[in-house]
Amino acid sequence: MRRGVGAVRGSSTGVGRRARRRRAPTDQDPSDGGPAIPSPVPPVTNGRLAISVRTATGSGRTPLSAFDDALFGADVHDFNLITLSSVIPPRTDVVVGGGALPMVHGDKLYCVLSVANAELRGETTWAGIGWVYDEEVGGLFVEHHSGSEESLRELIDLSLGDMARRRGRSFGEVHYALTSAHCEDLPVCALAVATYGVESWDTLRG
């Protein structure tokens, strides 16, 4: 069953197109549907982890270039991405959108990542992240991609439903961050990313 779009401290549903985006196209203020004002997203504030969920689309002469363009649109293009599985720790604020993350070129970024490419003229692809969260125990992320919004939402709902039942508990409402990309001539990429935190390489330099 299709549920309403929701998010912890925000909501996100976007339709990306071929035009390059320099900011996630679904950074919205849930109070009026207008653009949110970007702000820094520190990894930890007052003992709470801040996870930023953002979406973007990109295009390029190759699928890899389109992926990099989408990373650029999400402001995570100069990180080395380390993908995580699906668990949200307790004492976490999941925020839709957000501004630039503190970084030095090449730093590691821990994240949950959904990527979908389209290369055929007229093809549309969707990427998205869904999550549930309970303040006492934490929550779960899932990442999926599909050829339609309806199918993408269904996959997210089914995965989160199974994962919650497997753990013997209800985590509450399902939240979504979705976007799509439509191929007109060049390859395109739809991307959704949940950023956990940044780590430098200084420890390896001694």
Side-chain angles (χ1 to χ4, degrees):
M1 180 176 67
R2 177 165 169 166
R3 297 173 184 160
V5 178
V8 179
R9 293 193 175 182
S11 63
S12 181
T13 296
V15 180
R17 286 295 181 259
R18 182 174 173 273
R20 300 180 71 181
R21 307 290 182 103
R22 289 296 168 260
R23 185 66 58 187
T26 55
D27 294 355
Q28 298 290 314
D29 182 344
S31 63
D32 60 9
I37 299 174
S39 59
V41 183
V44 178
T45 303
N46 297 324
R48 297 183 66 84
L49 174 67
I51 295 178
S52 169
V53 181
R54 54 189 77 194
T55 63
T57 62
S59 65
R61 291 180 291 177
T62 68
L64 182 59
S65 174
F67 171 57
D68 182 68
D69 193 36
L71 293 176
F72 196 93
D75 289 328
V76 296
H77 50 292
D78 284 334
F79 290 104
N80 283 297
L81 304 181
I82 299 176
T83 56
L84 305 175
S85 55
S86 58
V87 179
I88 304 172
R91 300 185 302 281
T92 295
D93 295 319
V94 180
V95 181
V96 176
L101 297 166
M103 65 157 285
V104 173
H105 187 92
D107 278 352
K108 293 170 278 188
L109 175 64
Y110 293 90
C111 63
V112 173
L113 183 67
S114 174
V115 179
N117 286 98
E119 301 179 61
L120 301 177
R121 185 184 297 271
E123 181 183 9
T124 298
T125 190
W126 284 80
I129 290 175
W131 66 98
V132 289
Y133 180 78
D134 181 282
E135 182 64 29
E136 293 184 3
V137 298
L140 302 166
F141 277 120
V142 296
E143 62 280 1
H144 279 290
H145 59 84
S146 186
S148 70
E149 180 181 3
E150 182 179 7
S151 173
L152 179 57
R153 287 178 179 273
E154 182 179 17
L155 289 170
I156 289 172
D157 288 346
L158 291 174
S159 291
L160 286 173
D162 285 350
M163 293 164 67
R165 282 191 296 271
R166 197 168 290 124
R167 288 160 174 77
R169 66 174 301 112
S170 172
F171 290 87
E173 180 185 1
V174 177
H175 309 284
Y176 309 88
L178 314 175
T179 193
S180 71
H182 182 73
C183 180
E184 296 180 0
D185 46 21
L186 296 175
V188 295
C189 177
L191 176 144
V193 58
T195 66
Y196 277 62
V198 177
E199 184 179 10
S200 76
W201 293 97
D202 288 344
T203 55
L204 297 182
R205 296 189 176 100

